[in-house]
Structure formats: structure tokens, C-alpha cells
PDB file of all heavy atoms in Angstrom:
ATOM      1  N   GLY A   1     120.811 130.295  62.875  1.00  0.00           N
ATOM      2  CA  GLY A   1     120.550 131.724  62.753  1.00  0.00           C
ATOM      3  C   GLY A   1     121.640 132.365  61.932  1.00  0.00           C
ATOM      4  O   GLY A   1     122.517 131.688  61.381  1.00  0.00           O
ATOM      5  N   ASP A   2     121.608 133.698  61.866  1.00  0.00           N
ATOM      6  CA  ASP A   2     122.553 134.407  61.005  1.00  0.00           C
ATOM      7  C   ASP A   2     124.006 134.229  61.434  1.00  0.00           C
ATOM      8  O   ASP A   2     124.896 134.133  60.591  1.00  0.00           O
ATOM      9  CB  ASP A   2     122.194 135.889  60.898  1.00  0.00           C
ATOM     10  CG  ASP A   2     122.190 136.631  62.230  1.00  0.00           C
ATOM     11  OD1 ASP A   2     122.148 135.990  63.303  1.00  0.00           O
ATOM     12  OD2 ASP A   2     122.216 137.882  62.194  1.00  0.00           O
ATOM     13  N   ILE A   3     124.279 134.133  62.721  1.00  0.00           N
ATOM     14  CA  ILE A   3     125.666 133.990  63.180  1.00  0.00           C
ATOM     15  C   ILE A   3     126.240 132.644  62.739  1.00  0.00           C
ATOM     16  O   ILE A   3     127.356 132.575  62.213  1.00  0.00           O
ATOM     17  CB  ILE A   3     125.763 134.183  64.712  1.00  0.00           C
ATOM     18  CG1 ILE A   3     125.415 135.630  65.062  1.00  0.00           C
ATOM     19  CG2 ILE A   3     127.159 133.807  65.221  1.00  0.00           C
ATOM     20  CD1 ILE A   3     125.248 135.888  66.547  1.00  0.00           C
ATOM     21  N   LEU A   4     125.472 131.569  62.935  1.00  0.00           N
ATOM     22  CA  LEU A   4     125.960 130.246  62.516  1.00  0.00           C
ATOM     23  C   LEU A   4     126.005 130.130  61.000  1.00  0.00           C
ATOM     24  O   LEU A   4     126.923 129.511  60.452  1.00  0.00           O
ATOM     25  CB  LEU A   4     125.102 129.138  63.113  1.00  0.00           C
ATOM     26  CG  LEU A   4     125.127 129.024  64.636  1.00  0.00           C
ATOM     27  CD1 LEU A   4     124.386 127.777  65.084  1.00  0.00           C
ATOM     28  CD2 LEU A   4     126.536 129.030  65.170  1.00  0.00           C
ATOM     29  N   ALA A   5     125.029 130.718  60.314  1.00  0.00           N
ATOM     30  CA  ALA A   5     125.059 130.691  58.850  1.00  0.00           C
ATOM     31  C   ALA A   5     126.303 131.403  58.331  1.00  0.00           C
ATOM     32  O   ALA A   5     126.952 130.930  57.386  1.00  0.00           O
ATOM     33  CB  ALA A   5     123.793 131.332  58.276  1.00  0.00           C
ATOM     34  N   GLN A   6     126.674 132.522  58.957  1.00  0.00           N
ATOM     35  CA  GLN A   6     127.881 133.234  58.538  1.00  0.00           C
ATOM     36  C   GLN A   6     129.123 132.389  58.787  1.00  0.00           C
ATOM     37  O   GLN A   6     130.058 132.413  57.987  1.00  0.00           O
ATOM     38  CB  GLN A   6     127.990 134.585  59.251  1.00  0.00           C
ATOM     39  CG  GLN A   6     129.131 135.442  58.742  1.00  0.00           C
ATOM     40  CD  GLN A   6     128.977 135.812  57.281  1.00  0.00           C
ATOM     41  OE1 GLN A   6     127.957 136.335  56.858  1.00  0.00           O
ATOM     42  NE2 GLN A   6     130.005 135.508  56.472  1.00  0.00           N
ATOM     43  N   LYS A   7     129.139 131.616  59.877  1.00  0.00           N
ATOM     44  CA  LYS A   7     130.249 130.673  60.113  1.00  0.00           C
ATOM     45  C   LYS A   7     130.351 129.698  58.940  1.00  0.00           C
ATOM     46  O   LYS A   7     131.436 129.377  58.479  1.00  0.00           O
ATOM     47  CB  LYS A   7     130.036 129.880  61.402  1.00  0.00           C
ATOM     48  CG  LYS A   7     130.437 130.569  62.660  1.00  0.00           C
ATOM     49  CD  LYS A   7     130.259 129.601  63.829  1.00  0.00           C
ATOM     50  CE  LYS A   7     130.690 130.184  65.127  1.00  0.00           C
ATOM     51  NZ  LYS A   7     132.128 130.335  65.253  1.00  0.00           N
ATOM     52  N   GLY A   8     129.197 129.215  58.486  1.00  0.00           N
ATOM     53  CA  GLY A   8     129.181 128.301  57.348  1.00  0.00           C
ATOM     54  C   GLY A   8     129.760 128.940  56.099  1.00  0.00           C
ATOM     55  O   GLY A   8     130.559 128.325  55.382  1.00  0.00           O
ATOM     56  N   VAL A   9     129.383 130.177  55.833  1.00  0.00           N
ATOM     57  CA  VAL A   9     129.918 130.910  54.679  1.00  0.00           C
ATOM     58  C   VAL A   9     131.429 131.067  54.830  1.00  0.00           C
ATOM     59  O   VAL A   9     132.192 130.765  53.914  1.00  0.00           O
ATOM     60  CB  VAL A   9     129.241 132.295  54.542  1.00  0.00           C
ATOM     61  CG1 VAL A   9     129.961 133.157  53.509  1.00  0.00           C
ATOM     62  CG2 VAL A   9     127.771 132.147  54.195  1.00  0.00           C
ATOM     63  N   ASP A  10     131.849 131.537  55.993  1.00  0.00           N
ATOM     64  CA  ASP A  10     133.274 131.810  56.237  1.00  0.00           C
ATOM     65  C   ASP A  10     134.134 130.553  56.138  1.00  0.00           C
ATOM     66  O   ASP A  10     135.321 130.638  55.798  1.00  0.00           O
ATOM     67  CB  ASP A  10     133.478 132.441  57.618  1.00  0.00           C
ATOM     68  CG  ASP A  10     132.857 133.829  57.727  1.00  0.00           C
ATOM     69  OD1 ASP A  10     132.538 134.445  56.684  1.00  0.00           O
ATOM     70  OD2 ASP A  10     132.680 134.291  58.881  1.00  0.00           O
ATOM     71  N   ASN A  11     133.548 129.401  56.421  1.00  0.00           N
ATOM     72  CA  ASN A  11     134.310 128.149  56.432  1.00  0.00           C
ATOM     73  C   ASN A  11     134.080 127.280  55.199  1.00  0.00           C
ATOM     74  O   ASN A  11     134.494 126.122  55.174  1.00  0.00           O
ATOM     75  CB  ASN A  11     134.018 127.376  57.724  1.00  0.00           C
ATOM     76  CG  ASN A  11     134.654 128.041  58.912  1.00  0.00           C
ATOM     77  OD1 ASN A  11     135.862 128.262  58.938  1.00  0.00           O
ATOM     78  ND2 ASN A  11     133.851 128.415  59.895  1.00  0.00           N
ATOM     79  N   GLY A  12     133.430 127.817  54.177  1.00  0.00           N
ATOM     80  CA  GLY A  12     133.348 127.119  52.899  1.00  0.00           C
ATOM     81  C   GLY A  12     132.291 126.032  52.786  1.00  0.00           C
ATOM     82  O   GLY A  12     132.437 125.120  51.970  1.00  0.00           O
ATOM     83  N   TRP A  13     131.214 126.119  53.553  1.00  0.00           N
ATOM     84  CA  TRP A  13     130.108 125.173  53.405  1.00  0.00           C
ATOM     85  C   TRP A  13     129.245 125.604  52.220  1.00  0.00           C
ATOM     86  O   TRP A  13     129.030 126.792  51.987  1.00  0.00           O
ATOM     87  CB  TRP A  13     129.270 125.122  54.682  1.00  0.00           C
ATOM     88  CG  TRP A  13     129.982 124.445  55.802  1.00  0.00           C
ATOM     89  CD1 TRP A  13     130.878 125.007  56.672  1.00  0.00           C
ATOM     90  CD2 TRP A  13     129.906 123.067  56.149  1.00  0.00           C
ATOM     91  NE1 TRP A  13     131.361 124.053  57.535  1.00  0.00           N
ATOM     92  CE2 TRP A  13     130.776 122.854  57.242  1.00  0.00           C
ATOM     93  CE3 TRP A  13     129.188 121.981  55.645  1.00  0.00           C
ATOM     94  CZ2 TRP A  13     130.937 121.612  57.844  1.00  0.00           C
ATOM     95  CZ3 TRP A  13     129.349 120.748  56.249  1.00  0.00           C
ATOM     96  CH2 TRP A  13     130.216 120.559  57.328  1.00  0.00           C
ATOM     97  N   ALA A  14     128.741 124.630  51.461  1.00  0.00           N
ATOM     98  CA  ALA A  14     127.878 124.943  50.316  1.00  0.00           C
ATOM     99  C   ALA A  14     126.451 125.221  50.764  1.00  0.00           C
ATOM    100  O   ALA A  14     125.742 126.016  50.133  1.00  0.00           O
ATOM    101  CB  ALA A  14     127.885 123.789  49.313  1.00  0.00           C
ATOM    102  N   GLY A  15     126.006 124.539  51.817  1.00  0.00           N
ATOM    103  CA  GLY A  15     124.629 124.725  52.243  1.00  0.00           C
ATOM    104  C   GLY A  15     124.285 123.943  53.490  1.00  0.00           C
ATOM    105  O   GLY A  15     125.104 123.180  54.020  1.00  0.00           O
ATOM    106  N   VAL A  16     123.040 124.161  53.935  1.00  0.00           N
ATOM    107  CA  VAL A  16     122.482 123.484  55.094  1.00  0.00           C
ATOM    108  C   VAL A  16     121.075 123.027  54.738  1.00  0.00           C
ATOM    109  O   VAL A  16     120.264 123.826  54.244  1.00  0.00           O
ATOM    110  CB  VAL A  16     122.414 124.420  56.326  1.00  0.00           C
ATOM    111  CG1 VAL A  16     121.759 123.720  57.510  1.00  0.00           C
ATOM    112  CG2 VAL A  16     123.795 124.942  56.700  1.00  0.00           C
ATOM    113  N   LEU A  17     120.793 121.755  54.976  1.00  0.00           N
ATOM    114  CA  LEU A  17     119.435 121.229  54.873  1.00  0.00           C
ATOM    115  C   LEU A  17     118.981 120.953  56.299  1.00  0.00           C
ATOM    116  O   LEU A  17     119.537 120.078  56.972  1.00  0.00           O
ATOM    117  CB  LEU A  17     119.397 119.945  54.041  1.00  0.00           C
ATOM    118  CG  LEU A  17     118.016 119.302  53.901  1.00  0.00           C
ATOM    119  CD1 LEU A  17     117.069 120.203  53.104  1.00  0.00           C
ATOM    120  CD2 LEU A  17     118.132 117.934  53.256  1.00  0.00           C
ATOM    121  N   MET A  18     117.992 121.721  56.770  1.00  0.00           N
ATOM    122  CA  MET A  18     117.567 121.681  58.166  1.00  0.00           C
ATOM    123  C   MET A  18     116.175 121.067  58.285  1.00  0.00           C
ATOM    124  O   MET A  18     115.193 121.660  57.841  1.00  0.00           O
ATOM    125  CB  MET A  18     117.552 123.112  58.721  1.00  0.00           C
ATOM    126  CG  MET A  18     117.093 123.233  60.152  1.00  0.00           C
ATOM    127  SD  MET A  18     118.193 122.431  61.331  1.00  0.00           S
ATOM    128  CE  MET A  18     119.649 123.461  61.184  1.00  0.00           C
ATOM    129  N   TYR A  19     116.121 119.881  58.885  1.00  0.00           N
ATOM    130  CA  TYR A  19     114.832 119.260  59.191  1.00  0.00           C
ATOM    131  C   TYR A  19     114.378 119.826  60.531  1.00  0.00           C
ATOM    132  O   TYR A  19     114.377 119.169  61.557  1.00  0.00           O
ATOM    133  CB  TYR A  19     114.962 117.737  59.214  1.00  0.00           C
ATOM    134  CG  TYR A  19     113.651 117.007  59.377  1.00  0.00           C
ATOM    135  CD1 TYR A  19     112.548 117.314  58.590  1.00  0.00           C
ATOM    136  CD2 TYR A  19     113.523 115.990  60.312  1.00  0.00           C
ATOM    137  CE1 TYR A  19     111.357 116.634  58.743  1.00  0.00           C
ATOM    138  CE2 TYR A  19     112.334 115.304  60.466  1.00  0.00           C
ATOM    139  CZ  TYR A  19     111.254 115.637  59.683  1.00  0.00           C
ATOM    140  OH  TYR A  19     110.065 114.961  59.835  1.00  0.00           O
ATOM    141  N   GLY A  20     114.061 121.106  60.489  1.00  0.00           N
ATOM    142  CA  GLY A  20     113.677 121.895  61.643  1.00  0.00           C
ATOM    143  C   GLY A  20     113.580 123.340  61.202  1.00  0.00           C
ATOM    144  O   GLY A  20     113.409 123.629  60.022  1.00  0.00           O
ATOM    145  N   CYS A  21     113.709 124.255  62.149  1.00  0.00           N
ATOM    146  CA  CYS A  21     113.520 125.686  61.878  1.00  0.00           C
ATOM    147  C   CYS A  21     114.826 126.467  61.920  1.00  0.00           C
ATOM    148  O   CYS A  21     115.809 126.034  62.508  1.00  0.00           O
ATOM    149  CB  CYS A  21     112.581 126.279  62.924  1.00  0.00           C
ATOM    150  SG  CYS A  21     110.896 125.681  62.834  1.00  0.00           S
ATOM    151  N   ILE A  22     114.758 127.645  61.304  1.00  0.00           N
ATOM    152  CA  ILE A  22     115.840 128.622  61.370  1.00  0.00           C
ATOM    153  C   ILE A  22     115.253 129.940  61.860  1.00  0.00           C
ATOM    154  O   ILE A  22     114.034 130.092  61.985  1.00  0.00           O
ATOM    155  CB  ILE A  22     116.524 128.826  60.004  1.00  0.00           C
ATOM    156  CG1 ILE A  22     115.578 129.521  59.020  1.00  0.00           C
ATOM    157  CG2 ILE A  22     117.034 127.516  59.440  1.00  0.00           C
ATOM    158  CD1 ILE A  22     116.279 130.257  57.911  1.00  0.00           C
ATOM    159  N   ARG A  23     116.129 130.902  62.117  1.00  0.00           N
ATOM    160  CA  ARG A  23     115.700 132.269  62.403  1.00  0.00           C
ATOM    161  C   ARG A  23     116.641 133.220  61.670  1.00  0.00           C
ATOM    162  O   ARG A  23     117.581 132.783  61.025  1.00  0.00           O
ATOM    163  CB  ARG A  23     115.665 132.543  63.902  1.00  0.00           C
ATOM    164  CG  ARG A  23     117.003 132.530  64.592  1.00  0.00           C
ATOM    165  CD  ARG A  23     116.804 132.649  66.083  1.00  0.00           C
ATOM    166  NE  ARG A  23     117.990 133.162  66.745  1.00  0.00           N
ATOM    167  CZ  ARG A  23     117.983 133.651  67.960  1.00  0.00           C
ATOM    168  NH1 ARG A  23     116.869 133.702  68.658  1.00  0.00           N
ATOM    169  NH2 ARG A  23     119.096 134.090  68.503  1.00  0.00           N
ATOM    170  N   ASP A  24     116.375 134.507  61.759  1.00  0.00           N
ATOM    171  CA  ASP A  24     117.174 135.516  61.040  1.00  0.00           C
ATOM    172  C   ASP A  24     117.098 135.289  59.529  1.00  0.00           C
ATOM    173  O   ASP A  24     118.090 135.429  58.801  1.00  0.00           O
ATOM    174  CB  ASP A  24     118.636 135.504  61.513  1.00  0.00           C
ATOM    175  CG  ASP A  24     118.782 135.712  63.010  1.00  0.00           C
ATOM    176  OD1 ASP A  24     118.116 136.623  63.549  1.00  0.00           O
ATOM    177  OD2 ASP A  24     119.557 134.971  63.640  1.00  0.00           O
ATOM    178  N   ALA A  25     115.909 134.962  59.050  1.00  0.00           N
ATOM    179  CA  ALA A  25     115.715 134.611  57.643  1.00  0.00           C
ATOM    180  C   ALA A  25     116.124 135.742  56.695  1.00  0.00           C
ATOM    181  O   ALA A  25     116.705 135.478  55.647  1.00  0.00           O
ATOM    182  CB  ALA A  25     114.264 134.211  57.391  1.00  0.00           C
ATOM    183  N   LYS A  26     115.849 136.978  57.046  1.00  0.00           N
ATOM    184  CA  LYS A  26     116.195 138.098  56.168  1.00  0.00           C
ATOM    185  C   LYS A  26     117.707 138.172  55.966  1.00  0.00           C
ATOM    186  O   LYS A  26     118.188 138.304  54.834  1.00  0.00           O
ATOM    187  CB  LYS A  26     115.673 139.408  56.781  1.00  0.00           C
ATOM    188  CG  LYS A  26     116.152 140.655  56.088  1.00  0.00           C
ATOM    189  CD  LYS A  26     115.242 141.024  54.964  1.00  0.00           C
ATOM    190  CE  LYS A  26     115.577 142.410  54.441  1.00  0.00           C
ATOM    191  NZ  LYS A  26     116.094 142.424  53.125  1.00  0.00           N
ATOM    192  N   GLU A  27     118.459 138.065  57.047  1.00  0.00           N
ATOM    193  CA  GLU A  27     119.915 138.136  56.944  1.00  0.00           C
ATOM    194  C   GLU A  27     120.477 136.933  56.180  1.00  0.00           C
ATOM    195  O   GLU A  27     121.363 137.075  55.340  1.00  0.00           O
ATOM    196  CB  GLU A  27     120.540 138.212  58.345  1.00  0.00           C
ATOM    197  CG  GLU A  27     120.266 139.509  59.075  1.00  0.00           C
ATOM    198  CD  GLU A  27     118.875 139.583  59.717  1.00  0.00           C
ATOM    199  OE1 GLU A  27     118.128 138.588  59.713  1.00  0.00           O
ATOM    200  OE2 GLU A  27     118.527 140.666  60.211  1.00  0.00           O
ATOM    201  N   ILE A  28     119.960 135.756  56.455  1.00  0.00           N
ATOM    202  CA  ILE A  28     120.431 134.544  55.782  1.00  0.00           C
ATOM    203  C   ILE A  28     120.144 134.594  54.290  1.00  0.00           C
ATOM    204  O   ILE A  28     120.932 134.110  53.480  1.00  0.00           O
ATOM    205  CB  ILE A  28     119.831 133.287  56.456  1.00  0.00           C
ATOM    206  CG1 ILE A  28     120.448 133.119  57.860  1.00  0.00           C
ATOM    207  CG2 ILE A  28     120.060 132.037  55.618  1.00  0.00           C
ATOM    208  CD1 ILE A  28     119.813 132.031  58.697  1.00  0.00           C
ATOM    209  N   SER A  29     119.039 135.233  53.907  1.00  0.00           N
ATOM    210  CA  SER A  29     118.692 135.313  52.478  1.00  0.00           C
ATOM    211  C   SER A  29     119.722 136.095  51.670  1.00  0.00           C
ATOM    212  O   SER A  29     119.803 135.926  50.459  1.00  0.00           O
ATOM    213  CB  SER A  29     117.301 135.938  52.300  1.00  0.00           C
ATOM    214  OG  SER A  29     117.338 137.336  52.562  1.00  0.00           O
ATOM    215  N   GLY A  30     120.519 136.921  52.318  1.00  0.00           N
ATOM    216  CA  GLY A  30     121.545 137.685  51.623  1.00  0.00           C
ATOM    217  C   GLY A  30     122.921 137.048  51.646  1.00  0.00           C
ATOM    218  O   GLY A  30     123.881 137.634  51.141  1.00  0.00           O
ATOM    219  N   MET A  31     123.025 135.849  52.224  1.00  0.00           N
ATOM    220  CA  MET A  31     124.324 135.184  52.336  1.00  0.00           C
ATOM    221  C   MET A  31     124.548 134.200  51.190  1.00  0.00           C
ATOM    222  O   MET A  31     123.599 133.561  50.742  1.00  0.00           O
ATOM    223  CB  MET A  31     124.414 134.430  53.665  1.00  0.00           C
ATOM    224  CG  MET A  31     124.394 135.320  54.865  1.00  0.00           C
ATOM    225  SD  MET A  31     124.510 134.331  56.384  1.00  0.00           S
ATOM    226  CE  MET A  31     124.346 135.608  57.606  1.00  0.00           C
ATOM    227  N   PRO A  32     125.801 134.055  50.737  1.00  0.00           N
ATOM    228  CA  PRO A  32     126.102 133.098  49.667  1.00  0.00           C
ATOM    229  C   PRO A  32     126.162 131.669  50.209  1.00  0.00           C
ATOM    230  O   PRO A  32     127.210 131.030  50.245  1.00  0.00           O
ATOM    231  CB  PRO A  32     127.453 133.577  49.135  1.00  0.00           C
ATOM    232  CG  PRO A  32     128.112 134.204  50.326  1.00  0.00           C
ATOM    233  CD  PRO A  32     126.994 134.828  51.119  1.00  0.00           C
ATOM    234  N   LEU A  33     124.996 131.183  50.640  1.00  0.00           N
ATOM    235  CA  LEU A  33     124.870 129.870  51.253  1.00  0.00           C
ATOM    236  C   LEU A  33     123.498 129.323  50.906  1.00  0.00           C
ATOM    237  O   LEU A  33     122.503 130.061  50.940  1.00  0.00           O
ATOM    238  CB  LEU A  33     124.998 130.006  52.783  1.00  0.00           C
ATOM    239  CG  LEU A  33     124.941 128.738  53.623  1.00  0.00           C
ATOM    240  CD1 LEU A  33     126.223 127.910  53.434  1.00  0.00           C
ATOM    241  CD2 LEU A  33     124.758 129.091  55.103  1.00  0.00           C
ATOM    242  N   GLY A  34     123.418 128.051  50.567  1.00  0.00           N
ATOM    243  CA  GLY A  34     122.126 127.414  50.375  1.00  0.00           C
ATOM    244  C   GLY A  34     121.560 127.023  51.724  1.00  0.00           C
ATOM    245  O   GLY A  34     122.273 126.430  52.541  1.00  0.00           O
ATOM    246  N   VAL A  35     120.316 127.357  51.987  1.00  0.00           N
ATOM    247  CA  VAL A  35     119.657 126.960  53.231  1.00  0.00           C
ATOM    248  C   VAL A  35     118.224 126.570  52.914  1.00  0.00           C
ATOM    249  O   VAL A  35     117.454 127.373  52.387  1.00  0.00           O
ATOM    250  CB  VAL A  35     119.658 128.080  54.301  1.00  0.00           C
ATOM    251  CG1 VAL A  35     118.889 127.636  55.551  1.00  0.00           C
ATOM    252  CG2 VAL A  35     121.076 128.491  54.665  1.00  0.00           C
ATOM    253  N   LYS A  36     117.899 125.328  53.215  1.00  0.00           N
ATOM    254  CA  LYS A  36     116.520 124.849  53.126  1.00  0.00           C
ATOM    255  C   LYS A  36     116.126 124.375  54.514  1.00  0.00           C
ATOM    256  O   LYS A  36     116.898 123.698  55.192  1.00  0.00           O
ATOM    257  CB  LYS A  36     116.387 123.709  52.118  1.00  0.00           C
ATOM    258  CG  LYS A  36     116.481 124.170  50.668  1.00  0.00           C
ATOM    259  CD  LYS A  36     116.179 123.018  49.726  1.00  0.00           C
ATOM    260  CE  LYS A  36     116.247 123.441  48.281  1.00  0.00           C
ATOM    261  NZ  LYS A  36     115.047 124.091  47.790  1.00  0.00           N
ATOM    262  N   ALA A  37     114.914 124.742  54.937  1.00  0.00           N
ATOM    263  CA  ALA A  37     114.413 124.368  56.256  1.00  0.00           C
ATOM    264  C   ALA A  37     112.897 124.254  56.181  1.00  0.00           C
ATOM    265  O   ALA A  37     112.289 124.591  55.162  1.00  0.00           O
ATOM    266  CB  ALA A  37     114.831 125.401  57.294  1.00  0.00           C
ATOM    267  N   LEU A  38     112.306 123.802  57.275  1.00  0.00           N
ATOM    268  CA  LEU A  38     110.851 123.654  57.317  1.00  0.00           C
ATOM    269  C   LEU A  38     110.139 124.989  57.503  1.00  0.00           C
ATOM    270  O   LEU A  38     109.099 125.223  56.903  1.00  0.00           O
ATOM    271  CB  LEU A  38     110.450 122.704  58.455  1.00  0.00           C
ATOM    272  CG  LEU A  38     110.966 121.277  58.353  1.00  0.00           C
ATOM    273  CD1 LEU A  38     110.520 120.464  59.569  1.00  0.00           C
ATOM    274  CD2 LEU A  38     110.493 120.611  57.065  1.00  0.00           C
ATOM    275  N   ALA A  39     110.685 125.860  58.372  1.00  0.00           N
ATOM    276  CA  ALA A  39     110.011 127.111  58.712  1.00  0.00           C
ATOM    277  C   ALA A  39     110.971 128.014  59.469  1.00  0.00           C
ATOM    278  O   ALA A  39     112.133 127.656  59.685  1.00  0.00           O
ATOM    279  CB  ALA A  39     108.776 126.810  59.573  1.00  0.00           C
ATOM    280  N   THR A  40     110.451 129.163  59.887  1.00  0.00           N
ATOM    281  CA  THR A  40     111.207 130.074  60.739  1.00  0.00           C
ATOM    282  C   THR A  40     110.487 130.236  62.071  1.00  0.00           C
ATOM    283  O   THR A  40     109.274 130.067  62.169  1.00  0.00           O
ATOM    284  CB  THR A  40     111.361 131.464  60.095  1.00  0.00           C
ATOM    285  OG1 THR A  40     110.060 132.023  59.893  1.00  0.00           O
ATOM    286  CG2 THR A  40     112.105 131.387  58.781  1.00  0.00           C
ATOM    287  N   ILE A  41     111.272 130.567  63.088  1.00  0.00           N
ATOM    288  CA  ILE A  41     110.750 130.869  64.423  1.00  0.00           C
ATOM    289  C   ILE A  41     111.817 131.692  65.130  1.00  0.00           C
ATOM    290  O   ILE A  41     113.011 131.436  64.967  1.00  0.00           O
ATOM    291  CB  ILE A  41     110.406 129.562  65.198  1.00  0.00           C
ATOM    292  CG1 ILE A  41     109.655 129.866  66.492  1.00  0.00           C
ATOM    293  CG2 ILE A  41     111.657 128.731  65.451  1.00  0.00           C
ATOM    294  CD1 ILE A  41     109.068 128.619  67.165  1.00  0.00           C
TER     295      ILE A  41
END
């Protein structure tokens, strides 16, 4: 979700490839982080 994605941004991760779902898609779309996943829930 957005809180963990922000941790990734803050700690210098380039991206996340998730073989599963994410949430908070709107907030994550504005973060300087690559995120690919199957869907949202």
C-alpha cells in the first residue's frame, strides 16, 4: 500500500514487482517508484 511504497521511496528502492495485489493505487501512482502488480484490492 501507500505506506510501504513510501518506505521504498524513502529507502532508495527502484521498484517492486508484485505477483499479487496492491492497494492505494492513486497515491502510489504519484510516487517516484516503479510498481507492477496483477491488480488492486
Side-chain angles (χ1 to χ4, degrees):
D2 60 343
I3 294 170
L4 296 188
Q6 187 62 53
K7 278 184 178 289
V9 170
D10 294 344
N11 288 304
W13 289 84
V16 177
L17 179 66
M18 178 65 67
Y19 186 49
C21 293
I22 68 156
R23 66 187 203 163
D24 304 314
K26 171 88 169 113
E27 291 80 6
I28 291 172
S29 73
M31 295 180 184
L33 182 71
V35 177
K36 287 187 179 278
L38 298 178
T40 61
I41 189 169

